[in-house]
Amino acid sequence: MPTYGKVTSATITELKKIVGPEHVVWGESIPSQYAYDAGTKKEGLRYPEILVFPGSAQAVAAILKMANNHLIPVTPRGGGSGLAGGAVPLNGGIVLDLRRMNKIVHIDPEARYMVVEPAVRTIDIQQAANQQGLLYAGDPCSSDDCVIAGNIATNAGGNRAIKYGVTGDQVYELEVVTPQGEIVTLGGRLKKNSTGYGLVKLIAGSEGTLGIITQVTIKLQKLAPLLPNFLAVFPSLTSAISLVGALLEDTVIDPISIELIDRQTVLDLERYCQEKIFDDYTGDCLIIQFEAYTQDGLQKKWDELQKKCNIYGCHRVYAVDGEKIWPARRAWGKAIEVDHPVGVSEDIVVPVDQIASFVGQLEALIREFHFQFRMAGHAGDGNMHIRIVPGEVPVDEWPAAVKKFREKLYTVTYDLGGRLSGEHGIGLKRKEILRGIINPVELALMQAIKKAFDPNYILNPGKIFDMTSPAINNTDTVGLR
Ligand SMILES: Cc1cc2nc3c(=O)[nH]c(=O)nc-3n(C[C@H](O)[C@H](O)[C@H](O)COP(=O)(O)OP(=O)(O)OC[C@H]3O[C@@H](n4cnc5c(N)ncnc54)[C@H](O)[C@@H]3O)c2cc1C
């Protein structure tokens, strides 16, 4: 375990000088929400020594220079909605909360791009684009709570990834502060770019371990006037999944979302939302959304969807109110946790043509271990959110049983060409699992990249994988936790 420098009275004075005394909080005054994120609340609190609210890239750079000189770990934090512990300060040190940098700097509706500071909420970006008759295609289910830099750092997916890609695909250009305090602009507002390594794509998904994102230029798309939603109800998960590939191939329907919800989840969601949302409780469901530019176009797509649903054994397909179905879909994680507080959540991704095989093997494993599960998958891109719960298994036997279950589940996943995380990231929660499963050459390459960006391992240490680092330990600590 590396030993880092501690935050001292001199550090506090220096940080106050950089950002102003009112933007620094330390010791007992740090609010408890900085000691966890949405995925780690139950796993104990890990406080930073100091919380800093910089207001500019220059301030971020000065903080990182200072932290690098004193080997103080720095953890960037966005909305704190992460599900992998990425924003949790494992080693104390500084948490950088960029919430003061929350402005939309510029929107160009003609050239279809937007320049934003790192802490603009995703929903505010979506709404600002809509007001210009445009679409920002990033759409994680947490869009009310998360911010653009957090989305880029996790390479967040969401409900429109099948047509528009994940967050990394929405980014033209990034301003980043390196762990040594240099400000650099990566990428460009270009349709193509083969000018050396693609560092924008590398930062996307790096979980705050390579640089601090301080400004982003994002792509905007045409906004279709009609965005109808449909629910297709099937007798089994397997039959629901059989339609997914056919829909993705269908150039008439050209869906932008295909979300899978199992039949038990339908009931859990209605209980949680205390609202009638679904007309039909008898099966496993797909939520399907497509774009249409005219009523005729919509009718053509709807006719085609009904035809496809008939062929693939759907027992009912009907239009649903987007204002009801999407909030319910977004509430999945919370709804399931209320009913099933004991359990583990997975973010597995498999090739789209292997979803049926994955779900079949998952169901067999669930039967073998006498567990239960709930599922809400981004089925159109092979990303399955699964909550595994004890079912008939006594709580004292659960930890050992679930450990064995997971070993088998990950073997199934990797045998199908899948991976541990489709969009939530590795963070601190999946680090040990990744270490046991990753190709050692791939891990060594990742570690070499980390070392090149951050030779002293000060930026978000202990996330994704471990590094060893030079030891330094100042003893002049004051009033800190
Ligand atoms: C109800 C719910 C639904 C969700 N649905 C989805 C979904 O559909 N798709 C999906 O992908 N995820 C989803 N998530 C997970 C989560 O919302 C995403 O991972 C999101 O991108 C995290 O953004 P955030 O701003 O909250 O980041 P945080 O949780 O604050 O941080 C996430 C990571 O980003 C890093 N980071 C933050 N700011 C910066 C910065 N300025 N520079 C560099 N690194 C930075 C942090 O260090 C951390 O590693 C969901 C979560 C919840 C609670």
Side-chain angles (χ1 to χ4, degrees), residues 212-436:
I212 307 283
I213 298 159
T214 48
Q215 186 161 288
V216 189
T217 305
I218 49 177
K219 301 172 191 173
L220 301 175
Q221 314 284 342
K222 268 196 282 185
L223 177 66
L226 303 169
L227 282 166
N229 301 285
F230 302 90
L231 200 72
V233 187
F234 292 83
S236 67
L237 275 176
T238 321
S239 59
I241 291 161
S242 69
L243 179 66
V244 174
L247 286 179
L248 290 171
E249 293 283 293
D250 194 306
T251 51
V252 176
I253 301 172
D254 191 19
I256 61 170
S257 297
I258 308 175
E259 296 288 308
L260 177 71
I261 302 183
D262 75 275
R263 68 180 69 198
Q264 290 300 329
T265 293
V266 166
L267 301 173
D268 292 341
L269 284 179
E270 283 211 339
R271 225 177 1 256
Y272 179 80
C273 298
Q274 297 191 339
E275 196 180 359
K276 178 140 185 58
I277 301 159
F278 302 88
D279 287 352
D280 193 328
Y281 301 96
T282 55
D284 302 289
C285 302
L286 292 179
I287 305 170
I288 299 154
Q289 187 184 58
F290 56 70
E291 295 165 322
Y293 287 84
T294 60
Q295 285 297 338
D296 278 359
L298 190 154
Q299 187 63 45
K300 220 164 126 195
K301 288 178 178 228
W302 169 224
D303 292 346
E304 175 74 7
L305 178 61
Q306 291 178 91
K307 223 189 303 165
K308 279 270 146 69
C309 282
N310 273 337
I311 297 170
Y312 286 88
C314 167
H315 59 60
R316 193 172 165 216
V317 57
Y318 60 99
V320 282
D321 180 356
E323 300 291 319
K324 279 189 179 181
I325 201 78
W326 288 110
R329 168 64 188 89
R330 292 194 169 97
W332 180 78
K334 287 175 191 156
I336 302 303
E337 272 215 62
V338 167
D339 280 353
H340 309 284
V342 178
V344 292
S345 298
E346 301 292 346
D347 175 39
I348 281 165
V349 61
V350 295
V352 179
D353 59 358
Q354 298 298 325
I355 303 174
S357 175
F358 173 77
V359 171
Q361 295 188 64
L362 168 72
E363 287 179 319
L365 276 179
I366 291 283
R367 279 193 300 274
E368 180 188 329
F369 281 79
H370 307 286
F371 294 163
Q372 288 181 4
F373 73 100
R374 299 288 186 273
M375 182 184 276
H378 299 302
D381 53 29
N383 185 200
M384 302 288 122
H385 297 327
I386 313 156
R387 179 96 178 145
I388 320 272
V389 299
E392 300 161 27
V393 175
V395 173
D396 58 331
E397 291 172 23
W398 162 251
V402 81
K403 189 166 181 285
K404 274 198 195 131
F405 171 88
R406 284 177 125 179
E407 278 164 17
K408 291 193 172 185
L409 183 70
Y410 301 142
T411 303
V412 164
T413 302
Y414 273 65
D415 284 351
L416 292 173
R419 288 294 178 268
L420 277 184
S421 173
E423 57 181 25
H424 297 159
I426 299 301
L428 110 93
K429 269 184 103 167
R430 299 189 177 89
K431 182 173 71 172
E432 291 309 317
I433 302 169
L434 180 72
R435 200 174 54 162

Side-chain angles (χ1 to χ4, degrees), residues 76 78-82 86 98 141-142 147 149 151 153-154 156-157 207-208 211 213 423 460:
S81 73
L98 301 158
C141 290
S142 51
V147 302
N151 292 171
T154 54
E207 301 191 45
I213 298 159
E423 57 181 25
N460 213 357

